[in-house]
């Protein structure tokens, strides 16, 4: 069965970086895009960016360009999201989600809580 | 800045029908915006209900349907069940990137 399993919770200090992983299984990794979405406590979903595992091409929401980097390792079917220069506003649950080309979203990861605090 | 607007909250009686909408600040929503709808229960990851306007997944209950209605994307629940009480989000493709709506809190009362 299709699974997207994310790495565990992180506690970071302001100004640091965090890297969250999304390990996939149950399908051909390169056939689907991986997207990243975050949700602050009590707030809505916020789109961050995506990667094509096949080509490595990325696309970011304007708000996150320059501060968020999405990568992948096809040898272990895993996508990563790196957020730099963290502030308390980055405290949120981060999700990965899968999309078949053409807007066909389906499976989601379980979420990773990132807490930024001094 | 592109804004995607949803009703902040709606209330429906069990067994009733309710339509949630998703509007784009720049104009009408079309199938080209590839509307997706997600349901999120408290403390859980979102679950995809509808993709590409009106397509259901194998796990999507039959009472959920997606459409375009009056220039907006719409999610209709017919025969609402208590377990449908949740937050619902739409997602649109716009300008080469994706944008979420603010979400609709659906109460079943």
């Amino acid at each position: 069965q299709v699974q997207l399993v994310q790495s565990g919770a992180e506690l970071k200090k302001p100004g640091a970086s965090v890297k969250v992983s999304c390990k996939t299984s149950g399908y051909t990794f390169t056939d689907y895009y991986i997207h990243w979405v975050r949700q602050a406590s009590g707030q809505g979903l916020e789109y961050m960016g995506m990667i094509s595992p096949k080509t490595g091409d990325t696309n970011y929401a304007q708000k996150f360009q320059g501060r968020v980097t999405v990568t992948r390792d096809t040898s272990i079917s895993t996508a990563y999201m790196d957020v730099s220069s963290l502030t308390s506003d980055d405290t949120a649950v981060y999700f990965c989600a899968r999309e078949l080309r053409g807007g066909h979203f389906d499976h989601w990861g379980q979420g990773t809580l990132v807490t930024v605090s001094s | 800045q592109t804004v995607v607007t949803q009703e902040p909250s709606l209330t429906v009686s069990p067994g009733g029908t309710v339509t949630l909408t998703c509007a784009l600040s720049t104009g009408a929503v079309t199938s080209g915006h590839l509307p997706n709808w997600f349901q999120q229960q408290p403390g859980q990851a979102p679950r995809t209900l509808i993709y590409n306007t009106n397509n259901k997944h194998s796990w999507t209950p039959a009472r959920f349907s997606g459409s375009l209605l009056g220039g907006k994307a719409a999610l209709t629940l017919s025969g609402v069940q208590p377990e449908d009480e949740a937050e619902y989000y739409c997602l649109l493709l716009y300008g080469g990137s994706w944008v979420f709506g603010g979400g609709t809190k659906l109460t079943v009362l």
Side-chain angles (χ1 to χ4, degrees):
Chain A
Q1 74 281 23
V2 174
Q3 287 191 305
L4 282 70
V5 179
Q6 299 183 222
S7 48
E10 301 265 11
L11 175 61
K12 295 292 182 180
K13 294 193 183 304
S17 297
V18 67
K19 192 169 190 173
V20 179
S21 67
C22 176
K23 182 167 178 59
T24 73
S25 61
Y27 72 98
T28 301
F29 181 58
T30 49
D31 283 350
Y32 290 76
Y33 298 143
I34 294 291
H35 297 263
W36 290 91
V37 173
R38 75 178 185 181
Q39 185 173 39
S41 179
Q43 303 301 308
L45 301 175
E46 183 174 31
Y47 184 79
M48 300 181 71
M50 59 82 69
I51 188 165
S52 165
K54 185 174 218 173
T55 64
D57 290 342
T58 54
N59 187 287
Y60 302 102
Q62 190 169 9
K63 173 178 178 177
F64 296 104
Q65 283 178 1
R67 203 166 67 86
V68 171
T69 304
V70 179
T71 56
R72 93 293 192 211
D73 184 338
T74 56
S75 69
I76 55 172
S77 301
T78 300
Y80 302 91
M81 182 199 58
D82 202 309
V83 185
S84 62
S85 304
L86 290 166
T87 72
S88 57
D89 289 342
D90 295 311
T91 295
V93 177
Y94 290 76
F95 297 100
C96 60
R98 190 182 82 153
E99 180 215 350
L100 185 61
R101 288 160 190 76
H104 185 156
F105 283 78
D106 53 17
H107 295 274
W108 289 66
Q110 83 277 18
T112 297
L113 175 62
V114 175
T115 303
V116 182
S117 175
S118 55
Chain B
Q1 181 179 343
T2 305
V3 175
V4 178
T5 302
Q6 299 181 241
E7 296 86 0
S9 63
L10 291 169
T11 300
V12 60
S13 300
T17 296
V18 64
T19 296
L20 289 64
T21 67
C22 176
L24 190 55
S25 60
T26 54
V29 176
T30 71
S31 58
H33 292 108
L34 305 179
N36 277 253
W37 289 93
F38 308 94
Q39 178 192 62
Q40 188 178 34
Q41 301 286 3
Q44 295 186 17
R47 178 174 75 143
T48 310
L49 294 175
I50 300 289
Y51 64 95
N52 289 355
T53 305
N54 55 10
N55 294 280
K56 299 180 188 181
H57 287 291
S58 58
W59 55 79
T60 305
R63 60 185 179 274
F64 289 87
S65 63
S67 65
L68 295 176
L69 204 60
K72 301 178 184 180
L75 176 70
T76 299
L77 289 71
S78 304
V80 171
Q81 300 298 306
E83 60 265 30
D84 297 333
E85 182 162 299
E87 194 82 25
Y88 292 84
Y89 295 93
C90 66
L91 177 66
L92 301 178
L93 178 65
Y94 184 83
S97 187
W98 294 90
V99 184
F100 279 101
T104 295
K105 168 63 178 169
L106 182 66
T107 300
V108 182
L109 205 55

